[in-house]
């Protein structure tokens, strides 16, 4: 077989590095007192001389934004420099009123670190190069006005919002691993409260640098930067497309150019946006209006002590001390609502089997949160232990907070099933009603009569009646036709409106049939 016939994946190795920008969760902007709550504010209502870039306005550092970057750095094992610096990144564009962006160049707040996660190929980890702080740009809105002219509008509400940029080493080798990295980073940021990190509204922006090299070659090939992916699915698809496109170009003997390409989700392809600038073009230089920033070691220690249990630690604990499967642990930890419900249900009744509680959370609870998308939906699920990104981007689902599930009530429910006061099927119905209304399990069971009948005397009566009513089936059983037992059990279940304990019914049926035979 000639080399050209082997599939691209065996001839080329993909080299991928990811740059992610996230809006940090703060009350005010990065360098001024304007509110950072821009979600529903009218355009240009949250501005001041600083974030409009008016001459003479001076920046003041937002301490909370610095804290979020330090917390992120500690969570991923970065080195935190004692002294960091602000730099001006110069470029000319209508979204940048000052003509420069205050950022960090060679002395970022956090350097190095790594993030570990699972993929369908097994566990992996990505080295992180740096995490730094900068300010966001204004938002450009391109539209056609009523006269049919194409206009570009500028909304400065976003100008000056705190942004953290996290850059990986070119460590990633597949589109799937790139998606999983981004999902895991989002989960980490949500867990430590640094960002709400929703891709669909631009709070988290993922850019992927993608190049190919012939297998066995150590030098990197020419890279292309891909942007405009607004879902995790798009991240994986865009990189997959780019790998295939570059492989075809290299096969055809073409020379790739370093460029920035956009992802067009509708057409499922990337397109050229611009030939990439080099960092020289930005003429970075130290920001004269801000002194270097010294990190107080005592403050850093306080931040470290305040970190919550991180997702990787939590997954490991769920497996090691609660006996959950890697899959269940990943699904629960992948969703903050699910994690809280699981933890609080076990806290309400620590004697419950954790696996049973996990089944309710990954099954019924997540089914309600994201209909058609909890277990085994193929996107991020599967037997590999890698779970999807949680409810954040669930289209058509509801947020866990719209559901009225009380952990103590779920604990009652699991207990009721364990002690066979409720059948598995009826318990699901009871749970659904509880989740919708918040009504207690006890009241729902009382008002719907869904409790399981495990009272032998009552069931013996029902069994007797059914045997009397179906002599033909009884004869079939005697004649050795096993299915007839199933039919009779079904009849008893029907008579008791599904409330009978089916195991008990079968036992009673067997007893009754044996008795009447003598
Ligand atoms: P820039 O200054 O253009 O942002 P960097 O050197 O800082 O470029 O790298 C940006 C990202 O690109 C990093 O995540 C890095 O790992 C990745 N990267 C660098 N070289 C390559 C390459 N040849 N192929 C794929 N990714 C790369
Ligand atoms: Mg960059
Ligand atoms: Zn302002």
């Amino acid at each position: 077989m000639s080399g050209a016939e082997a599939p691209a994946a065996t001839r080329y190795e993909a080299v991928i590095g990811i740059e992610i920008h996230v809006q940090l969760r703060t009350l005010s902007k990065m360098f001024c007192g304007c509110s950072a709550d821009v979600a529903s504010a009218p355009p240009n209502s949250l501005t001041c001389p600083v974030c409009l870039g008016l001459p003479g306005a001076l920046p003041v550092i937002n301490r909370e934004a610095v804290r979020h970057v330090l917390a992120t750095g500690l969570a991923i094992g970065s080195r935190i420099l004692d002294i960091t610096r602000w730099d001006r990144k110069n470029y000319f564009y209508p979204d940048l009123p000052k003509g420069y962006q205050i950022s960090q160049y060679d002395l970022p707040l956090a350097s190095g670190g790594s993030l570990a996660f699972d993929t369908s190929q097994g566990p992996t980890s990505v080295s992180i190069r740096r995490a730094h702080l900068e300010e966001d740009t204004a938002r450009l809105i391109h539209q056609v006005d009523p006269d049919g002219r194409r206009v570009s509008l500028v909304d400065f509400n976003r100008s000056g919002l705190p942004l953290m940029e996290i850059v990986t080493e070119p460590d990633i080798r597949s589109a799937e691993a790139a998606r999983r990295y981004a999902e895991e980073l989002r989960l980490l940021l949500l867990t430590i409260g640094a960002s709400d990190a929703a891709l669909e509204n631009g709070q988290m922006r993922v850019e992927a640098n993608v190049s190919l090299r012939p297998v066995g070659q150590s030098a990197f090939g020419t890279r292309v930067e891909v942007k405009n992916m607004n879902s995790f699915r798009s991240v994986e698809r865009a990189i997959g497309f780019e790998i295939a496109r570059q492989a075809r170009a290299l096969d055809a003997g073409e020379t790739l150019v370093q460029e920035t390409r956009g992802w067009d989700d509708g057409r499922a392809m990337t397109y050229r946006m611009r030939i990439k600038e080099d960092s020289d073009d930005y003429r970075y230089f130290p920001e004269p209006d801000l002194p270097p920033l010294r990190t107080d070691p005592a403050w850093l220690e306080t931040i470290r002590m305040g970190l919550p249990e991180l997702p990787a630690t939590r997954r490991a604990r769920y497996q090691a001390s609660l006996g959950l499967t890697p899959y269940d642990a990943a699904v629960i930890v992948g969703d903050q609502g699910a994690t809280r419900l699981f933890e609080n249900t076990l806290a309400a009744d620590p004697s419950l089997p954790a696996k049973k509680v996990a089944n309710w959370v990954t099954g019924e609870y997540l089914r309600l949160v994201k209909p058609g998308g909890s277990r085994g939906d193929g996107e991020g699920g599967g037997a590999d232990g890698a779970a999807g990104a949680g409810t954040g981007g669930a289209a058509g689902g509801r947020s866990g907070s719209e559901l009225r599930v009380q952990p103590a009530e779920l604990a009652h429910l699991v207990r009721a099933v364990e002690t066979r006061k409720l059948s598995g099927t009826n318990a699901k119905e009871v749970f659904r009603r509880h989740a919708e209304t918040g009504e207690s399990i006890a009241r729902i069971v009382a008002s719907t009569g869904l409790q399981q009948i495990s009272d032998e005397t009552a069931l013996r009566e029902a069994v007797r009646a059914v045997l009397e009513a179906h002599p033909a089936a009884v004869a079939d059983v005697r004649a050795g036709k096993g299915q007839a037992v199933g039919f009779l059990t079904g009849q008893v279940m029907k008579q008791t409106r599904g409330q009978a304990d089916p195991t008990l019914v079968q036992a009673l049926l067997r007893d009754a049939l044996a008795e009447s035979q003598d």
Side-chain angles (χ1 to χ4, degrees):
M1 188 170 71
S2 84
E5 281 162 10
T10 65
R11 286 174 290 118
Y12 298 112
E13 179 178 53
V15 173
I16 304 161
I18 304 277
E19 295 166 280
I20 290 180
H21 287 86
V22 287
Q23 275 173 9
L24 295 171
R25 214 160 131 188
T26 57
L27 292 174
S28 56
K29 292 188 180 181
M30 186 62 233
F31 296 116
C32 62
C34 290
S35 167
D37 190 8
V38 298
S40 52
N44 293 310
S45 61
L46 304 174
T47 60
C48 74
V50 173
C51 56
L52 287 173
L54 301 187
L58 288 174
V60 177
I61 299 167
N62 183 328
R63 179 187 168 96
E64 186 65 358
V66 174
R67 191 181 69 80
H68 284 318
V69 178
L70 294 175
T72 305
L74 291 170
I76 58 179
S78 303
R79 272 171 289 115
I80 308 291
L81 298 179
D82 312 338
I83 293 198
T84 67
R85 198 175 61 203
W86 305 94
D87 298 278
R88 288 188 180 182
K89 177 177 177 178
N90 301 279
Y91 65 91
F92 188 69
Y93 205 63
D95 65 4
L96 196 64
K98 297 193 294 290
Y100 61 85
Q101 176 188 34
I102 304 179
S103 181
Q104 299 194 284
Y105 187 51
D106 50 1
L107 295 175
L109 275 166
S111 314
S114 66
L115 193 65
F117 50 89
D118 280 334
T119 72
S120 63
Q121 309 302 305
T124 185
S125 102
V126 169
S127 300
I128 296 193
R129 185 178 283 178
R130 57 185 282 158
H132 73 251
L133 196 46
E134 59 189 33
E135 55 179 336
D136 209 344
T137 60
R139 200 162 72 89
L140 293 181
I141 301 154
H142 306 286
Q143 61 182 45
V144 179
D145 76 6
D147 307 333
R149 288 178 309 172
R150 293 175 51 187
V151 295
S152 292
L153 306 172
V154 189
D155 178 4
F156 286 95
N157 284 354
R158 202 182 69 180
S159 173
L161 285 182
L163 274 190
M164 170 167 62
E165 179 174 352
I166 303 153
V167 184
T168 75
E169 295 295 344
D171 257 9
I172 302 169
R173 294 289 174 265
S174 74
E176 187 210 353
R179 165 181 58 85
R180 290 287 305 117
Y181 163 75
E183 288 174 343
E184 184 68 14
L185 183 67
R186 172 171 191 270
L187 184 57
L188 182 83
L189 296 173
L190 287 176
T191 304
I192 66 177
S195 174
D196 294 325
L199 267 71
E200 64 277 10
N201 64 18
Q203 288 169 331
M204 175 166 174
R205 303 163 215 160
V206 180
E207 288 158 21
N209 294 268
V210 182
S211 67
L212 295 187
R213 60 182 172 190
V215 167
Q217 176 185 306
S218 59
F220 290 152
T222 302
R223 79 181 141 118
V224 164
E225 183 173 326
V226 188
K227 41 176 52 170
N228 296 349
M229 293 91 80
N230 59 10
S231 68
F232 290 110
R233 202 173 108 86
S234 310
V235 169
E236 185 165 352
R237 288 172 79 207
I239 296 172
F241 174 88
E242 197 48 35
I243 292 172
R245 185 189 71 83
Q246 292 183 20
R248 271 196 310 276
L250 293 174
D251 281 347
E254 290 167 27
T255 314
L256 292 165
V257 283
Q258 188 171 326
E259 61 180 334
T260 301
R261 297 178 71 89
W263 169 245
D264 181 331
D265 207 52
R267 291 195 297 157
M269 59 188 291
T270 62
Y271 59 91
R272 172 172 294 176
M273 295 174 82
R274 56 178 173 271
I275 303 291
K276 172 102 178 120
E277 8 356 53
D278 273 325
S279 77
D280 298 352
D281 299 339
Y282 292 125
R283 296 159 25 246
Y284 279 97
F285 65 87
E287 166 60 61
D289 289 339
L290 288 170
L293 186 68
R294 192 183 296 273
T295 311
D296 175 12
W299 187 40
L300 198 59
E301 205 40 43
T302 310
I303 298 171
R304 189 196 305 277
M305 300 304 284
L307 284 177
E309 183 177 39
L310 300 178
T313 318
R314 196 181 285 264
R315 282 190 297 260
R317 176 168 66 84
Y318 284 0
Q319 291 172 57
S321 38
L322 298 179
L324 300 197
T325 62
Y327 177 75
D328 280 349
V331 170
I332 293 173
V333 175
D335 184 285
Q336 289 200 294
T339 304
R340 272 193 300 274
L341 181 58
F342 179 71
E343 292 275 334
N344 293 337
T345 302
L346 278 179
D349 185 350
S351 67
L352 288 176
K355 173 66 188 160
K356 291 287 163 58
V357 177
N359 286 346
W360 279 93
V361 173
T362 61
E364 295 314 300
Y365 171 75
L366 284 178
R367 213 191 312 286
L368 292 181
V369 173
K370 31 185 172 179
S374 64
R375 296 193 77 111
D377 63 344
E379 241 217 73
D384 48 55
T391 50
R398 354 174 206 198
S399 77
S401 57
E402 286 169 50
L403 295 175
R404 307 186 53 187
V405 181
Q406 301 288 320
E409 293 298 324
L410 177 56
H412 282 312
L413 186 73
V414 177
R415 174 64 64 207
V417 177
E418 287 298 285
T419 54
R420 305 173 71 170
K421 292 199 180 74
L422 266 176
S423 72
T425 315
N426 287 348
K428 286 179 185 170
E429 175 60 19
V430 171
F431 179 76
R432 201 183 53 73
R433 289 184 193 217
H434 166 66
E436 303 269 312
T437 64
E439 223 184 318
S440 76
I441 300 296
R443 283 190 52 166
I444 296 169
V445 169
S447 66
T448 54
L450 286 169
Q451 70 273 26
Q452 181 152 282
I453 305 174
S454 319
D455 170 14
E456 282 200 27
T457 330
L459 284 185
R460 226 184 278 281
E461 183 49 37
V463 165
R464 198 194 51 75
V466 165
L467 292 184
E468 219 169 81
H470 299 282
V474 172
D476 282 348
V477 175
R478 299 251 156 81
K481 292 190 187 160
Q483 321 90 290
V485 179
F487 168 78
L488 291 169
T489 310
Q491 291 304 309
V492 177
M493 295 306 290
K494 203 166 147 192
Q495 263 213 5
T496 56
R497 293 178 23 249
Q499 286 168 251
D501 175 348
T503 326
L504 184 55
V505 169
Q506 287 200 350
L508 292 175
L509 264 173
R510 250 179 277 114
D511 286 356
L513 286 164
E515 258 170 46
S516 57
Q517 193 138 31
D518 310 328

